[in-house]
Amino acid sequence: MTAVEGNIQVNGKDYQCECTYDGDSQYNVQVRNGKKVVANYKISAGSEGEVLEFARAHFAADVELGNVQG
């Protein structure tokens, strides 16, 4: 299983992302603020390089809509 980790920034705040590949171009994505898990997603991406970008966009939209709070 492939794992991708990285930091994303949304509205000036840093968050940590951990993405694990589960097959069929699907990644399980966990977004954390410190030790607190603030969001979980299933993201479809064609490559490891895309998954953090897609996760940041998805999380940023949820924050803007008020669906999650960091």
Side-chain angles (χ1 to χ4, degrees):
M1 187 180 292
T2 303
V4 176
E5 292 185 17
N7 294 320
I8 60 173
Q9 191 174 68
V10 175
N11 293 340
K13 292 184 181 179
D14 290 321
Y15 298 90
Q16 300 78 41
C17 266
E18 183 177 320
C19 313
T20 53
Y21 185 70
D22 69 357
D24 296 327
S25 299
Q26 294 285 314
Y27 289 83
N28 292 315
V29 177
Q30 186 178 76
V31 180
R32 295 184 317 272
N33 184 0
K35 293 187 180 213
K36 179 183 174 188
V37 176
V38 292
N40 286 296
Y41 302 110
K42 196 166 224 20
I43 302 280
S44 179
S47 69
E48 288 181 5
E50 293 177 335
V51 70
L52 284 176
E53 179 184 335
F54 292 170
R56 192 206 66 74
H58 196 98
F59 183 67
D62 270 354
V63 168
E64 188 166 325
L65 291 171
N67 294 335
V68 295
Q69 295 180 344

